Amino acid sequence: EAQVTQNPRYLITVTGKKLTVTCSQNMNHEYMSWYRQDPGLGLRQIYYSMNVEVTDKGDVPEGYKVSRKEKRNFPLILESPSPNQTSLYFCASSLFLGDRNSPLHFGNGTRLTVT
Amino acid sequence: RKEVEQDPGPFNVPEGATVAFNCTYSNSASQSFFWYRQDCRKEPKLLMSVYSSGNEDGRFTAQLNRASQYISLLIRDSKLSDSATYLCVVRDTGRRALTFGSGTRLQVQP
């Protein structure tokens, strides 16, 4: 089954404790992206990757890191989480960006709470 | 001004009603337009792309008005299962990202 898999689904952590949210897709997609969703602000892009070893900042990259060593995986790293990073996070992928025949496929989300 | 703006709603409509949402975008160079649907606490899913000439998929019709820089979504014969948040999504020329509106919440009531 074609899918984007994120783990974990729920995570509660403390300020400053490094964490990684994993994202994997099995559709051989080139484009992958991370979003955070907060009430009233909608989905905001954190980082994206156009292909292996090609990553770039989105609109809200501060406090996050990513890597794209393999096509299928795009982990999101919070080196020193802070309470303002409490949010719902989505990973997404598509064959090509913005092509009408290549929609974004989303993972089922990671709800992160930083205390 | 937000790049993509939507009325947050909620729109409360009875089953069988016709409801329409608008979405405005600020960049006249925007090139691709989409409507996504998001159920509560779930991931967004593509509902339909929006073509310049307008397009229909069953009970759903999408329209694009480039002159006024807005897109619309019309839902006919609303079903309870249409209750969700509808996200307007725009891609700008040369920008390697899709910009999401904050969403319009629809609640269809029996």
Side-chain angles (χ1 to χ4, degrees):
Chain A
E1 181 190 351
Q3 60 185 4
V4 178
T5 304
Q6 276 179 248
N7 280 297
R9 290 291 309 276
Y10 302 93
L11 180 59
I12 300 174
T13 189
V14 296
T15 299
K17 186 176 180 183
K18 181 179 177 180
L19 65 92
T20 299
V21 184
T22 62
C23 175
S24 181
Q25 50 92 5
N26 61 1
M27 296 167 278
N28 202 35
H29 284 170
E30 292 190 351
Y31 180 85
M32 296 187 76
S33 182
W34 277 102
Y35 294 87
R36 62 178 287 174
Q37 188 172 33
D38 302 288
L41 297 176
L43 280 154
R44 293 180 294 166
Q45 191 180 49
I46 303 169
Y47 268 95
Y48 65 91
S49 170
M50 299 297 284
N51 213 324
V52 176
E53 301 290 5
V54 181
T55 63
D56 213 340
K57 296 177 181 178
D59 296 318
V60 288
E62 295 78 22
Y64 305 95
K65 286 173 60 177
V66 293
S67 68
R68 188 95 181 270
K69 294 187 171 64
E70 309 159 282
K71 202 169 191 179
R72 62 184 293 126
N73 295 323
F74 191 45
L76 180 70
I77 302 154
L78 284 72
E79 294 270 3
S80 183
S82 61
N84 65 12
Q85 292 179 298
T86 292
S87 187
L88 177 59
Y89 291 86
F90 288 105
C91 179
S93 73
S94 68
L95 191 56
F96 305 112
L97 174 63
D99 185 287
R100 289 197 183 94
N101 299 314
S102 176
L104 273 178
H105 294 260
F106 284 84
N108 49 20
T110 295
R111 188 165 290 280
L112 171 65
T113 302
V114 183
T115 61
Chain B
R1 182 186 170 189
K2 287 185 182 177
E3 293 180 50
V4 178
E5 291 207 59
Q6 294 182 251
D7 182 341
F11 284 59
N12 295 303
V13 302
E15 272 186 288
T18 296
V19 61
F21 312 133
N22 280 346
C23 162
T24 58
Y25 59 94
S26 60
N27 187 346
S28 59
S30 297
Q31 63 179 45
S32 302
F33 308 89
F34 311 88
W35 284 103
Y36 277 71
R37 171 198 168 121
Q38 186 175 25
D39 294 297
C40 189
R41 301 180 187 278
K42 297 262 182 92
E43 73 274 20
K45 293 184 179 177
L46 179 69
L47 179 65
M48 58 198 303
S49 303
V50 185
Y51 297 93
S52 298
S53 54
N55 48 299
E56 192 173 299
D57 183 1
R59 297 181 294 108
F60 299 84
T61 301
Q63 297 274 2
L64 168 63
N65 185 318
R66 284 192 184 273
S68 301
Q69 293 182 209
Y70 77 82
I71 67 173
S72 63
L73 178 67
L74 180 80
I75 305 175
R76 289 181 299 279
D77 188 23
S78 300
K79 313 288 185 193
L80 294 175
S81 57
D82 294 333
S83 297
T85 296
Y86 291 84
L87 305 172
C88 171
V89 185
V90 173
R91 184 195 175 191
D92 295 335
T93 304
R95 193 159 176 260
R96 296 175 176 177
L98 298 177
T99 302
F100 286 76
S102 299
T104 297
R105 193 155 68 88
L106 171 66
Q107 185 67 47
V108 181
Q109 293 160 339

